[in-house]
């Protein structure tokens, strides 16, 4: 996308950064980073202050942010990012949603969408260090497209499901395979250690991305590990939203990790390259950007 299109206010990439210790909303353009709250105050244009405000504010909030983009002052230095979405009620995750990932892990093709969750302690930002506790040694990465829900709904028909999406971000479903797989059938503890759900760097609004066809990759220390496309999902985003909403009301700010393609350490033959302290892991999704975390 060219800068001219971005400055024409069609592209909305939103991020959160830490200001006085709390997440604050910003706009990323081709030219740089904009502090939405500071611009809003300085120019007397009411605008959302956090990502959740923005999601709840709907079209009106997005229009206010677009108005701020014209003539905005850019931040002088790159901000310290916060998790792209915070304060939502639910962090849901889909397991076993790419055929080749199921094959590499010798698992079984599910008849129904496999749903599990992470808790708020798992959220982390792009650029944040994630601790690998030395008590365990089989830590893994999972590149995933993350849906950000924009409005409340239950029993959402598939054909209307995408109307409930505010936008998309990148996620890494970091996993402690020992706790996830070797201690019974529930995954929560292995999937929700502190920082094990980084999301970011930004949220692109729904109209900017085709969730059924976009490239998704992960790299560890620069080495390509996963390289796929969301077109290979078994349960599409619209199916996932519809199915979950038959069990619980989805709400603005809820996020859904949509599953990972093949290429994780668990699926490697021979000696597996588990994540180790010092590793730099990136999740890249075309049209969104790159979520980068160092493990320590
Ligand atoms: Mg996963």
């Amino acid at each position: 996308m060219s800068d001219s299109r971005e400055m024409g206010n069609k592209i909305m990439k939103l991020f959160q950064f830490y200001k006085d210790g709390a997440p604050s909303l910003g706009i990323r353009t081709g030219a740089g980073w904009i502090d939405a709250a500071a611009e809003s105050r300085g120019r007397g244009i009411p605008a959302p202050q956090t990502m959740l405000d923005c999601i709840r504010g709907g079209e009106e909030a997005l229009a206010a942010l677009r108005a701020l983009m014209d003539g905005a002052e850019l931040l002088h230095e790159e901000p310290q990012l916060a998790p792209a979405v915070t304060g939502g009620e639910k962090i849901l995750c889909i397991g076993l949603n790419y055929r080749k990932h199921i094959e590499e892990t010798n698992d079984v093709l599910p008849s129904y969408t496999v749903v599990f969750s992470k808790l708020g302690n798992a959220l982390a930002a792009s650029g944040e260090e994630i601790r690998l506790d030395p008590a365990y040694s089989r830590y893994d990465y999972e590149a995933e497209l993350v849906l950000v829900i924009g409005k409340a709904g239950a029993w959402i028909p598939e054909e209307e499901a995408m109307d409930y999406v505010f936008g998309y971000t990148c996620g890494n479903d970091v996993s402690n395979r020992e706790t996830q797989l070797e201690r019974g059938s529930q995954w929560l503890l292995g999937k929700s250690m502190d920082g094990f759900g980084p999301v970011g760097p930004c949220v692109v609004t729904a109209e900017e991305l085709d969730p059924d066809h976009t490239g998704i990759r992960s790299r560890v220390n620069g080495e390509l590990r996963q390289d796929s496309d969301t077109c290979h999902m078994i349960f599409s985003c619209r199916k996932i939203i519809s199915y979950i909403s038959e069990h619980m009301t989805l709400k603005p700010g809820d996020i859904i990790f949509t599953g990972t393609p093949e290429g994780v350490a668990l699926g490697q033959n021979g000696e597996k390259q588990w994540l180790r302290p010092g590793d730099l892991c990136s999740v890249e999704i075309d049209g969104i950007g790159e979520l980068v975390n160092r493990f320590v």
Side-chain angles (χ1 to χ4, degrees):
M1 300 296 176
S2 69
D3 284 3
S4 62
R5 187 177 163 208
E6 296 202 10
M7 294 319 284
N9 293 348
K10 293 209 174 86
I11 295 279
M12 287 292 279
K13 277 188 174 176
L14 305 171
F15 65 96
Q16 290 200 117
F17 66 110
Y18 285 110
K19 200 157 98 173
D20 303 324
S24 188
L25 186 65
I27 310 164
R28 180 84 163 107
T29 73
W33 310 83
I34 298 168
D35 178 339
E39 285 292 321
S40 163
R41 204 168 39 246
R43 292 158 64 188
I45 301 174
Q49 307 288 300
T50 66
M51 192 70 74
L52 191 57
D53 283 348
C54 180
I55 296 166
R56 288 176 173 157
E59 270 310 311
E60 205 175 311
L62 290 175
L65 294 173
R66 285 194 186 93
L68 289 180
M69 285 169 75
D70 280 326
E73 200 174 309
L74 300 176
L75 291 173
H76 296 301
E77 51 190 45
E78 196 168 318
Q80 186 197 346
L81 294 180
V85 184
T86 48
E89 186 181 84
K90 296 186 276 302
I91 304 170
L92 298 166
C93 310
I94 306 305
L96 306 174
N97 201 25
Y98 286 77
R99 194 175 300 269
K100 286 185 183 168
H101 172 61
I102 295 169
E103 288 168 8
E104 73 176 352
T105 56
N106 298 314
D107 221 310
V108 179
L109 200 69
S111 308
Y112 296 95
T113 315
V114 175
V115 184
F116 64 98
S117 62
K118 291 178 186 276
L119 303 177
N121 69 303
L123 286 177
S126 187
E128 193 172 327
E129 292 184 341
I130 299 172
R131 184 169 179 270
L132 300 177
D133 194 286
Y136 306 97
S137 58
R138 294 191 279 286
Y139 291 108
D140 213 342
Y141 49 87
E142 295 190 352
E144 307 202 8
L145 175 70
V146 175
L147 301 173
V148 182
I149 296 298
K151 60 176 185 177
W155 292 94
I156 301 167
E158 263 181 50
E159 51 278 16
E160 292 171 19
M162 302 320 283
D163 299 343
Y164 289 78
V165 176
F166 172 81
Y168 306 93
T169 189
C170 308
N172 190 345
D173 174 15
V174 183
S175 305
N176 173 349
R177 299 299 190 197
E178 289 163 87
T179 318
Q180 180 200 350
L181 299 173
E182 298 166 21
R183 297 186 182 182
S185 61
Q186 58 85 15
W187 295 359
L188 179 68
L189 294 179
K191 296 284 197 173
S192 198
M193 295 182 80
D194 293 342
F196 275 28
V199 286
C202 60
V203 173
V204 298
T205 48
E207 70 278 7
E208 302 296 344
L209 193 88
D210 176 3
D212 295 326
H213 189 63
T214 192
I216 178 166
R217 288 168 287 280
S218 71
R219 293 181 177 82
V220 179
N221 302 324
E223 181 186 288
L224 188 66
R225 294 283 181 87
Q226 295 178 280
D227 186 8
S228 186
D229 191 288
T230 56
C231 70
H232 298 301
M233 284 186 191
I234 296 167
F235 299 103
S236 65
C237 292
R238 62 181 64 243
K239 280 191 160 53
I240 290 168
I241 291 167
S242 177
Y243 184 66
I244 292 176
S245 79
E246 292 175 9
H247 300 82
M248 58 188 85
T249 301
L250 288 170
K251 298 200 181 144
D254 286 350
I255 60 175
I256 306 174
F257 286 66
T258 56
T260 201
E262 72 281 7
V264 299
L266 179 66
Q268 293 171 341
N269 294 315
E271 195 175 336
K272 300 183 195 305
Q273 295 167 288
W274 302 115
L275 289 172
R276 299 161 71 94
D279 283 348
L280 188 71
C281 186
S282 71
V283 172
E284 180 187 43
I285 297 180
D286 294 338
I288 302 176
E290 202 174 15
L291 167 73
V292 183
N293 294 98
R294 184 169 303 278
F295 291 89
V296 295

